[in-house]
Structure formats: C-alpha cells, structure tokens
Amino acid sequence: MTRQSSTQARRAALLGTNPRFRLYLDARKRKRHELTLEQLPDGTHDEQDAADAIRQACGIRSRRELDTNHEARQMLDRIVSDYQAWERRQARGR
C-alpha cells in the first residue's frame, strides 16, 4: 500500500473522530426518521457509530477498503461533501 492510498482510510477514521461530524449524523438521523431533539439528542452518535455509518454508506467492511475501492471512495467524497454543506448551513443559522 502506498502512502497516497492510505489517505482515504485515514480520512474516514479522522472524520469519525470529529465531534461536529457526529452531530451531523445526529441531525441527519433526526431528519430522516422525523425525530425531535428530545427523542434523539445531540451527542447520541459516538466514534464507533460514525465508523459504522461510514462503512455502511460506502458498502464496505473495513475503512481500508476505501484505499482500493473506487465506488466506496466516491461515496466517502459524497459523505464529506454533504457534511460540509451541513456545516455551511449551520454557520448561516439554518
């Protein structure tokens, strides 16, 4: 494995440790299941939940697969893009 190829697995791992990304997962689940903040409070998702969510969305068993699976890497890019859009909306107060 080259240094460049390990970048995607590391990127996914770091994403899961980001508390703001886990808040995004909370908000996303609330919206998807039409839950209130009281029903699913902020801080519900932990690092393991984030790792599981990334693996499930990307259709992989291990984040290492992101280094060799083009489709999974594209999904990670979409996850990051959606998260960044959510952050921008939060900054605007929406």
Side-chain angles (χ1 to χ4, degrees):
M1 185 174 354
T2 67
R3 182 179 184 100
Q4 182 179 7
S5 67
S6 67
T7 302
Q8 298 305 313
R10 188 176 314 115
R11 179 180 177 211
L14 289 172
L15 188 60
T17 65
N18 180 340
R20 294 287 303 164
F21 178 72
R22 295 193 309 267
L23 288 175
Y24 160 71
L25 292 177
D26 293 337
R28 192 168 154 247
K29 187 170 185 176
R30 275 194 299 272
K31 183 175 181 179
R32 185 174 51 238
H33 295 286
E34 298 180 359
L35 299 171
T36 65
L37 186 59
E38 291 77 28
Q39 292 170 313
L40 185 78
D42 281 342
T44 299
H45 286 83
D46 61 19
E47 287 183 33
Q48 184 62 52
D49 295 326
D52 291 343
I54 290 168
R55 285 192 301 270
Q56 182 179 9
C58 293
I60 55 176
R61 290 185 179 199
S62 170
R63 288 177 295 213
R64 285 179 294 209
E65 293 177 54
L66 291 164
D67 297 331
T68 57
N69 182 322
H70 180 71
E71 291 81 17
R73 189 169 44 248
Q74 286 181 317
M75 180 54 76
L76 178 62
D77 289 343
R78 179 173 175 201
I79 291 167
V80 170
S81 176
D82 290 349
Y83 164 61
Q84 291 171 337
W86 177 83
E87 281 286 18
R88 287 189 297 274
R89 287 190 303 276
Q90 298 306 301
R92 289 191 306 257
R94 295 181 70 198

